[in-house]
Amino acid sequence: MPIYEYKCKDCGQIFEILTTSRSNTEPPACRHCHSTRVNKLISAGSFRSASGAPLPTAAPAGCGCKSGFS
């Protein structure tokens, strides 16, 4: 199951949703203010350059600090 990361347009909170691709038709509600005005973020685990080139050496390895994974 994929984990999607969102940022609320109203309160600015960043949160994650573990979901199936079938249930991903409507935007989720923010866990802090319950707004559905959210933007899906590009997480480190789902980003890959088109050329397949490695990330620059200054880029941190692994998941982002907000993901909860280490």
Side-chain angles (χ1 to χ4, degrees):
M1 288 186 161
I3 297 175
Y4 294 104
E5 193 172 31
Y6 294 88
K7 182 173 183 178
C8 180
K9 292 180 183 180
D10 292 333
C11 71
Q13 289 288 331
I14 295 175
F15 60 96
E16 296 175 341
I17 299 289
L18 177 67
T19 184
T20 64
S21 57
R22 291 181 190 158
S23 66
N24 196 21
T25 58
E26 295 181 21
C30 173
R31 293 180 180 167
H32 182 72
C33 72
H34 308 290
S35 171
T36 56
R37 292 176 14 97
V38 297
N39 285 332
K40 187 186 282 187
L41 302 177
I42 298 174
S43 63
S46 67
F47 178 78
R48 181 176 286 175
S49 68
S51 67
L55 292 173
T57 56
C63 296
C65 63
K66 298 238 183 222
S67 71
F69 296 101
S70 54

